Amino acid sequence: MRLSTFPAVLAALGRLTYAASSQGCNKTSAAPTLEKRVTVELAANKSRSFMYWLPPNYDPKTPAPIIISYHGVRQSPTKQANLDQFDNTRFNTDMIAVYPQAVTPPGSDEVMWQGPRKATQDDIGFTMEILDQLEEEFCVDTDRIYASGKSEGAGFVGMLACNSTSNARIAAFAPVSGAFYPGHNDGMSDKCKDEVPVPCSPMRCNIPFLEFHGGADFLAPIEGGLHRHECLPDIRTYMRQWAQRDKLDTEPTEVYNLTDVAQVNKYDDKGTVTFVYDGDKVGHDWPWTVENPDTKRAHSKPASFNATSYIMEWFGNFTLAPPDNCNATV
Ligand SMILES: *[C@@H]1O[C@H](CO)[C@@H](O)[C@H](O)[C@H]1NC(C)=O
Ligand SMILES: *[C@@H]1O[C@H](CO)[C@@H](O)[C@H](O)[C@H]1NC(C)=O
Ligand SMILES: *[C@@H]1O[C@H](CO)[C@@H](O)[C@H](O)[C@H]1NC(C)=O
Ligand SMILES: *[C@@H]1O[C@H](CO)[C@@H](O)[C@H](O)[C@H]1NC(C)=O
Ligand SMILES: *[C@@H]1O[C@H](CO)[C@@H](O)[C@H](O)[C@H]1NC(C)=O
Ligand SMILES: *[C@@H]1O[C@H](CO)[C@@H](O)[C@H](O)[C@H]1NC(C)=O
């Protein structure tokens, strides 16, 4: 190797550990409280709120990644945290865990996220304001912000991935047992069409997307169907659409069993688009090997793996990719 290439090599090595820091880095305010669930109002709109949790390794001098996790219909930040355990040091010692609170749309009596026809509030804008607030107050690695969620909250994670404002700030998306509402009732009938068009214009084609679904999900069935007067997409079709948007093969390039019942389907070597089939017996759940609030319900049984462990490892494989301007609108 010629000597003159050394600086380039060093620069490349430096980039591996590079973290994009936010305005909150090195702020000399009061020492932050670690490992506590804290609920705050949104500074930009006091009628919205969210909960956050700083990990044990949080240090105001070192940019920390964020995981933002969305609860399901009728659920809450606390319930979502009890379910996903992104705020349990067994699974997460480094990332700030954030749990936004949904609102009750007009004409409804349950909290939900933007997505279904009647929920038209701007939760994408809400999410951007949460990130603004956290980045200002805490030392955040703005290249490592991740989104996850359950059920209708998972459906909203799909919307975040489909929107070019939010996907410019969130590095990777991991919805669990997603109910991906198309937000319209085109083709609504007793039998939903095979291909339910879910509006999506990410305006790029390098979006990491990981979904988990069980074969016994009777609320958001893996084969899709009518729910809350809208057609939910078939999950395997929906995942193939993500592979198409990301310009990957339309069939998984690698299929292997995670356990004797759960199967991983990767659409490229890196798992940029990955579908995890939880197994035939797993319901509308956050997969967990011991009883959790989901598996306690009728029709549900513990899974063969903990979804959170898989998600943490997968998130760790991605940082925010620069825009590629490929105008993906599949
Ligand atoms: C604040 O949030 C509430 C609840 O979603 C919404 O109705 C209102 O329009 C928001 N206000 C502003 C200024 O965004
Ligand atoms: C914070 O300050 C330390 C020195 O005290 C410096 O090494 C570090 O780069 C600063 N971090 C950021 C993100 O500004
Ligand atoms: C993305 O979300 C923002 C914030 O809600 C919104 O203003 C914008 O219209 C959305 N973009 C698309 C293409 O839907
Ligand atoms: C792998 O998982 C699939 C899907 O649940 C299952 O049908 C199959 O029996 C499993 N195969 C092995 C070898 O464990
Ligand atoms: C899943 O997490 C629980 C703690 O909630 C733990 O007891 C169990 O061993 C974990 N399962 C695996 C496969 O690691
Ligand atoms: C993360 O990346 C490593 C190295 O490429 C790979 O072996 C591993 O399977 C990936 N993890 C997940 C959950 O995709």
Coordinates of all heavy atoms in Angstrom, one line a residue, residues 196-227:
V196 N -53.8 -4.8 -1.8 CA -54.4 -3.6 -1.3 C -53.4 -2.5 -1.4 O -52.3 -2.6 -0.9 CB -54.7 -3.8 0.2 CG1 -55.3 -2.5 0.8 CG2 -55.7 -4.9 0.4
P197 N -53.7 -1.5 -2.2 CA -52.7 -0.4 -2.4 C -52.6 0.5 -1.2 O -53.5 1.2 -0.8 CB -53.2 0.4 -3.6 CG -54.7 0.0 -3.7 CD -54.9 -1.2 -2.9
V198 N -51.4 0.4 -0.5 CA -51.2 1.2 0.7 C -50.4 2.4 0.2 O -49.3 2.2 -0.4 CB -50.4 0.5 1.8 CG1 -50.1 1.4 2.9 CG2 -51.2 -0.8 2.2
P199 N -50.9 3.6 0.3 CA -50.2 4.8 -0.2 C -48.8 4.9 0.3 O -48.6 4.7 1.5 CB -51.0 6.0 0.2 CG -52.3 5.5 0.7 CD -52.1 4.0 1.1
C200 N -47.8 5.1 -0.5 CA -46.4 5.1 -0.1 C -45.6 5.8 -1.1 O -45.5 5.4 -2.2 CB -45.9 3.7 0.1 SG -44.3 3.6 1.0
S201 N -44.9 7.0 -0.7 CA -44.0 7.6 -1.6 C -42.7 8.0 -0.8 O -42.6 9.2 -0.5 CB -44.6 8.8 -2.3 OG -45.4 9.5 -1.4
P202 N -41.9 7.0 -0.5 CA -40.7 7.3 0.3 C -39.7 8.2 -0.4 O -38.9 8.8 0.2 CB -40.1 5.9 0.5 CG -40.7 5.0 -0.6 CD -42.0 5.6 -0.9
M203 N -39.8 8.3 -1.8 CA -38.9 9.2 -2.6 C -37.4 8.7 -2.4 O -36.5 9.5 -2.6 CB -39.0 10.6 -2.2 CG -40.4 11.2 -2.2 SD -41.2 11.0 -3.9 CE -40.3 12.4 -4.7
R204 N -37.2 7.5 -2.0 CA -35.8 6.9 -2.0 C -36.0 5.4 -2.0 O -37.1 4.9 -1.8 CB -35.1 7.4 -0.7 CG -35.8 7.1 0.6 CD -35.3 7.8 1.7 NE -33.9 7.4 2.0 CZ -33.2 8.0 3.0 NH1 -33.7 9.0 3.7 NH2 -31.9 7.6 3.2
C205 N -34.9 4.7 -2.2 CA -35.0 3.2 -2.2 C -33.9 2.6 -1.5 O -33.2 1.7 -1.9 CB -35.0 2.8 -3.7 SG -33.8 3.4 -4.7
N206 N -33.6 3.1 -0.2 CA -32.6 2.4 0.6 C -33.2 2.4 2.1 O -32.5 2.8 3.0 CB -31.3 3.2 0.5 CG -31.4 4.7 0.8 OD1 -32.5 5.2 1.2 ND2 -30.3 5.4 0.5
I207 N -34.4 2.0 2.2 CA -35.1 2.1 3.5 C -35.1 0.7 4.2 O -35.7 -0.2 3.7 CB -36.5 2.6 3.4 CG1 -36.4 4.1 3.0 CG2 -37.2 2.5 4.7 CD1 -37.6 4.8 2.9
P208 N -34.4 0.6 5.3 CA -34.4 -0.7 6.1 C -35.8 -0.9 6.7 O -36.3 0.0 7.4 CB -33.3 -0.5 7.1 CG -32.4 0.6 6.6 CD -33.4 1.5 5.9
F209 N -36.4 -2.1 6.5 CA -37.7 -2.3 6.9 C -37.8 -3.8 7.4 O -37.5 -4.7 6.6 CB -38.7 -2.1 5.8 CG -40.1 -1.8 6.3 CD1 -40.6 -0.6 6.5 CD2 -41.0 -2.9 6.4 CE1 -41.9 -0.4 7.0 CE2 -42.3 -2.7 6.9 CZ -42.8 -1.4 7.1
L210 N -38.2 -4.0 8.6 CA -38.3 -5.4 9.2 C -39.7 -5.5 9.8 O -40.2 -4.7 10.6 CB -37.3 -5.4 10.4 CG -37.4 -6.5 11.4 CD1 -37.2 -7.9 10.8 CD2 -36.4 -6.3 12.6
E211 N -40.4 -6.6 9.4 CA -41.7 -6.8 10.0 C -41.8 -8.2 10.6 O -41.2 -9.2 10.1 CB -42.8 -6.6 8.9 CG -44.1 -6.1 9.5 CD -45.2 -7.1 9.9 OE1 -45.0 -8.3 9.5 OE2 -46.2 -6.8 10.5
F212 N -42.6 -8.3 11.7 CA -42.9 -9.6 12.3 C -44.4 -9.9 12.2 O -45.2 -9.0 12.5 CB -42.5 -9.6 13.8 CG -41.1 -9.3 14.1 CD1 -40.5 -8.0 14.1 CD2 -40.2 -10.4 14.4 CE1 -39.2 -7.8 14.4 CE2 -38.9 -10.2 14.7 CZ -38.4 -8.9 14.7
H213 N -44.7 -11.1 11.9 CA -46.1 -11.5 11.9 C -46.3 -13.0 12.3 O -45.6 -13.8 11.8 CB -46.8 -11.2 10.5 CG -48.0 -10.4 10.6 ND1 -48.0 -9.0 10.6 CD2 -49.3 -10.8 10.8 CE1 -49.3 -8.6 10.7 NE2 -50.1 -9.6 10.8
G214 N -47.4 -13.2 13.0 CA -47.7 -14.6 13.4 C -48.8 -15.2 12.6 O -49.7 -14.5 12.1
G215 N -48.8 -16.5 12.5 CA -49.8 -17.2 11.7 C -51.2 -17.2 12.3 O -52.2 -17.5 11.7
A216 N -51.2 -17.0 13.6 CA -52.5 -17.0 14.4 C -53.0 -15.6 14.8 O -53.6 -15.4 15.8 CB -52.4 -17.9 15.6
D217 N -52.6 -14.6 13.9 CA -53.0 -13.2 14.2 C -54.4 -13.0 13.6 O -54.6 -12.9 12.4 CB -52.0 -12.3 13.5 CG -52.3 -10.8 14.0 OD1 -53.4 -10.5 14.2 OD2 -51.3 -10.0 14.0
F218 N -55.4 -13.0 14.5 CA -56.8 -12.9 14.1 C -57.3 -11.5 14.0 O -58.3 -11.2 13.4 CB -57.7 -13.7 15.0 CG -57.4 -15.2 15.0 CD1 -57.0 -15.8 16.2 CD2 -57.5 -15.9 13.8 CE1 -56.7 -17.1 16.2 CE2 -57.1 -17.3 13.9 CZ -56.7 -17.9 15.0
L219 N -56.5 -10.5 14.5 CA -56.8 -9.1 14.5 C -56.3 -8.4 13.2 O -57.0 -7.7 12.5 CB -56.3 -8.4 15.7 CG -57.2 -8.4 16.9 CD1 -56.5 -8.1 18.2 CD2 -58.3 -7.3 16.7
A220 N -55.0 -8.7 12.9 CA -54.4 -8.2 11.6 C -53.9 -9.4 10.9 O -52.7 -9.6 10.9 CB -53.3 -7.2 11.9
P221 N -54.8 -10.2 10.3 CA -54.3 -11.5 9.7 C -53.2 -11.3 8.7 O -53.2 -10.4 8.0 CB -55.6 -12.0 9.1 CG -56.7 -11.3 9.7 CD -56.2 -9.9 10.1
I222 N -52.3 -12.3 8.7 CA -51.2 -12.3 7.8 C -51.6 -12.2 6.4 O -50.9 -11.6 5.5 CB -50.2 -13.5 8.1 CG1 -48.9 -13.3 7.4 CG2 -50.9 -14.8 7.7 CD1 -47.8 -14.2 8.0
E223 N -52.8 -12.8 6.1 CA -53.2 -12.7 4.7 C -54.1 -11.5 4.4 O -54.7 -11.3 3.3 CB -54.0 -14.0 4.3 CG -55.3 -14.2 5.0 CD -55.1 -14.9 6.4 OE1 -54.0 -15.0 6.9 OE2 -56.2 -15.3 7.0
G224 N -54.1 -10.6 5.4 CA -54.9 -9.3 5.2 C -56.4 -9.5 5.3 O -56.8 -10.6 5.8
G225 N -57.1 -8.5 5.0 CA -58.6 -8.6 5.1 C -59.2 -7.4 5.7 O -58.6 -6.5 6.0
L226 N -60.6 -7.5 5.7 CA -61.3 -6.3 6.2 C -61.2 -6.1 7.7 O -61.3 -7.1 8.5 CB -62.8 -6.6 5.9 CG -63.7 -5.4 5.9 CD1 -63.3 -4.3 4.9 CD2 -65.2 -5.8 5.7
H227 N -60.9 -4.9 8.1 CA -60.7 -4.6 9.5 C -61.1 -3.1 9.7 O -60.6 -2.3 9.0 CB -59.3 -4.9 10.0 CG -59.2 -5.0 11.5 ND1 -59.9 -5.9 12.2 CD2 -58.6 -4.2 12.4 CE1 -59.7 -5.7 13.5 NE2 -58.8 -4.7 13.6

